[in-house]
Amino acid sequence: MDAILPEKQFVVSVGISRTSYGEIVELCRRWASERKTSCPPRARYICATDVHGIMLAHDHPEVAKTINGADIAAPDGMPIVWALRSFGFKNQQRVYGPTLMLELCRSAAEMGQRKILCPIS
């Protein structure tokens, strides 16, 4: 059963997820559980997206395709948070990439996961 992904709001040419650390960690826990039962496992990815990434995506369609193809494009930067808030997501918080990684590692350790990153074959 596929978990519902966070809603995205386009900022310039990139869909940014309206999300939080807790929601991303919970989704990753579900995805890890799903990987054990799906054959072949579905590849997923998250982009921590800041203004620089959005501007690169604006100028380079391949970057836009990569970020827009992500299951989650986390708002990593206060200008992105401010943009989401201006679109009506009043409680949106920053999801800083390095802090998100620490939260994902902590969650993986609690679940007994040996790895959280898998190469795509």
Side-chain angles (χ1 to χ4, degrees), residues 60-76:
H60 302 282
E62 66 278 6
V63 175
K65 182 178 177 182
T66 299
I67 296 172
N68 287 326
D71 293 281
I72 299 171
D76 183 359

Side-chain angles (χ1 to χ4, degrees), residues 28 31-32 35 42-47 97 100-102 104-105 108-109 113-121:
C28 287
W31 295 342
R35 285 185 66 82
R42 179 169 176 227
R44 297 187 175 272
Y45 66 100
I46 297 168
C47 293
L100 176 60
M101 191 66 194
L102 289 173
L104 291 172
C105 289
Q113 295 282 20
R114 295 186 318 201
K115 59 184 176 181
I116 61 172
L117 302 174
C118 300
I120 298 173
S121 50

Side-chain angles (χ1 to χ4, degrees), residues 53-113:
I54 287 176
M55 296 316 297
L56 278 174
H58 180 264
D59 295 337
H60 302 282
E62 66 278 6
V63 175
K65 182 178 177 182
T66 299
I67 296 172
N68 287 326
D71 293 281
I72 299 171
D76 183 359
M78 285 311 296
I80 307 306
V81 171
W82 296 330
L84 290 175
R85 289 178 184 170
S86 77
F87 287 119
F89 305 118
K90 299 296 181 198
N91 296 320
Q92 182 61 58
Q93 299 296 311
R94 181 180 186 198
V95 180
Y96 181 52
T99 301
L100 176 60
M101 191 66 194
L102 289 173
E103 293 295 321
L104 291 172
C105 289
R106 183 177 298 116
S107 175
E110 288 171 3
M111 290 179 63
Q113 295 282 20

